Amino acid sequence: MEYVVTFHTQNGAFKFQRFLLGKQIEVKLMPTPRKLSSSCGIAASFEYEGEIQGFIIEEVDGVYLKEGIEYKVIYKD
């Protein structure tokens, strides 16, 4: 499954990237899709098949499951 995560700050996006890389999960930082709102304009995209509740760290604004061109809200701060 592909997820897109938004953040409160740019620093939060970089911290989340390091967090996932530390778990050996490939992550890509990108501009926040227009359909999603974010305070900082940076989002992270990654694929993962397991439970992601442990990935919701303090810096996360929202977590969305990407389904084609649509986004399903998984978590919103």
Side-chain angles (χ1 to χ4, degrees):
M1 291 186 254
E2 184 177 353
Y3 294 94
V4 174
V5 181
T6 58
F7 305 93
H8 298 290
T9 65
Q10 291 179 353
N11 189 46
F14 297 125
K15 184 175 181 180
F16 185 79
Q17 180 185 40
R18 287 189 305 272
F19 174 78
L20 286 188
L21 290 174
K23 295 185 174 300
Q24 307 299 315
I25 298 171
E26 188 174 326
V27 58
K28 177 178 78 170
L29 296 183
M30 61 187 215
T32 302
R34 289 182 182 235
K35 293 182 179 188
L36 309 178
S37 64
S38 175
S39 299
C40 75
I42 296 178
S45 174
F46 67 97
E47 292 189 19
Y48 192 72
E49 295 300 324
E51 181 63 43
I52 65 160
Q53 292 301 328
F55 296 173
I56 300 173
I57 61 175
E58 183 178 345
E59 289 77 8
V60 171
D61 175 54
V63 178
Y64 304 86
L65 176 61
K66 186 173 181 189
E67 298 175 325
I69 61 170
E70 299 298 320
Y71 298 90
K72 177 182 174 186
V73 176
I74 302 298
Y75 168 83
K76 183 72 175 142
D77 185 23

